Amino acid sequence: MDGGMDGHPTLVPVLATVWRGWTDLVSGFDEDSFSAPTRAEGWTVRDLLLHVLLDAQRALMAFAETSDEAPTADRVSYWSGQRPDPVGAQRHAAFVRRAAAAYDGAAGLVAQWTDTARAASRAAEAADHRARVHTQGLVLAVPDFVSTLVVEAAVHWLDLTVALEVPGLPETVPPEPALRETVEVTTALLGRPFPAGWGEVGGVLRATGRVPLTEEDRAALGPAADAVPVLR
């Protein structure tokens, strides 16, 4: 592995923007909206917010202690190992649901998310882009790690907004720079560009398994269809 992608100076602000966007979204929901379903199977808005909060907490810990080890993954290959076995996935999903339900109302969860995301954004800004960090059993260069956080937040943004009808809801598509990074990573995992007509959002939703592939989609993808979903 090399020392990481060259996009650190641009992706750090992108991470801050997409996380602030999450804050704007969930701050506008009423209590009932937190029980709405999402594209993340079996998870409500409340559950999904807790899951993304755990990402921000993981980022804070990773930025706090850098590594001298060589990178073992980059912004693309990181996702190849993020396919938990069914039992592990069920256990994580059950933990998230229990933890999210433990909050007395959504306000406390939103407040903790807001504070944690702000702190993690500042930690990303202060991080040395030449450094490496430990996360999910891997070693990543800081720029690659920031990319994984951007992609995670963008994909789950699309999960979050699927079934919500909230007056004054902010933009339901992730910020363009975050969506662009997500497209770059998912097409790299596919090994080819999205087929014509899919668009950026449609491509991400199909490539990540949020929207099932039709026979026409599979024909357009060719052998790359076997790689779907490229990440979860």
Side-chain angles (χ1 to χ4, degrees):
M1 298 291 176
D2 62 22
M5 58 182 289
D6 295 328
H8 178 77
T10 55
L11 283 185
V12 167
V14 171
L15 179 61
T17 297
V18 71
W19 276 352
R20 281 197 305 268
W22 261 84
T23 300
D24 291 343
L25 281 171
V26 298
S27 296
F29 296 161
D30 60 25
E31 188 68 31
D32 290 341
S33 297
F34 284 89
S35 298
T38 70
R39 281 193 174 94
E41 185 177 357
W43 281 1
T44 65
V45 171
R46 181 192 302 265
D47 301 331
L48 193 57
L49 178 57
L50 190 283
H51 175 72
V52 179
L53 168 61
L54 294 176
D55 277 334
Q57 290 177 340
R58 178 168 58 88
L60 267 177
M61 291 186 288
F63 287 129
E65 186 173 356
T66 57
S67 172
D68 293 329
E69 299 177 35
T72 58
D74 60 25
R75 75 199 247 263
V76 176
S77 62
Y78 165 86
W79 297 102
S80 300
Q82 301 306 307
R83 295 173 182 253
D85 64 273
V87 173
Q90 290 173 4
R91 287 175 177 169
H92 176 69
F95 166 77
V96 167
R97 285 192 290 268
R98 288 196 303 270
Y103 285 83
D104 184 13
L109 178 56
V110 170
Q112 187 174 1
W113 155 258
T114 301
D115 291 344
T116 305
R118 184 184 300 118
S121 293
R122 290 174 178 167
E125 291 171 0
D128 181 352
H129 75 275
R130 297 164 298 182
R132 295 173 292 278
V133 297
H134 284 279
T135 187
Q136 307 282 38
L138 300 170
V139 180
L140 273 73
V142 164
D144 292 319
F145 179 49
V146 172
S147 169
T148 69
L149 297 170
V150 168
V151 171
E152 185 95 12
V155 170
H156 287 319
W157 185 307
L158 295 174
D159 288 337
L160 179 72
T161 58
V162 62
L164 297 174
E165 295 181 0
V166 180
L169 182 70
E171 179 59 58
T172 56
V173 176
E176 177 57 30
L179 183 58
R180 188 182 316 123
E181 177 67 10
T182 305
V183 170
E184 288 185 10
V185 170
T186 51
T187 53
L189 289 164
L190 272 178
R192 54 153 296 159
F194 295 147
W198 278 18
E200 291 184 325
V201 171
V204 170
L205 291 176
R206 288 175 173 85
T208 60
R210 269 64 181 175
V211 172
L213 296 179
T214 65
E215 289 304 315
E216 183 179 352
D217 291 335
R218 289 187 173 278
L221 277 177
D226 293 337
V228 175
V230 297
L231 60 87
R232 294 188 181 276

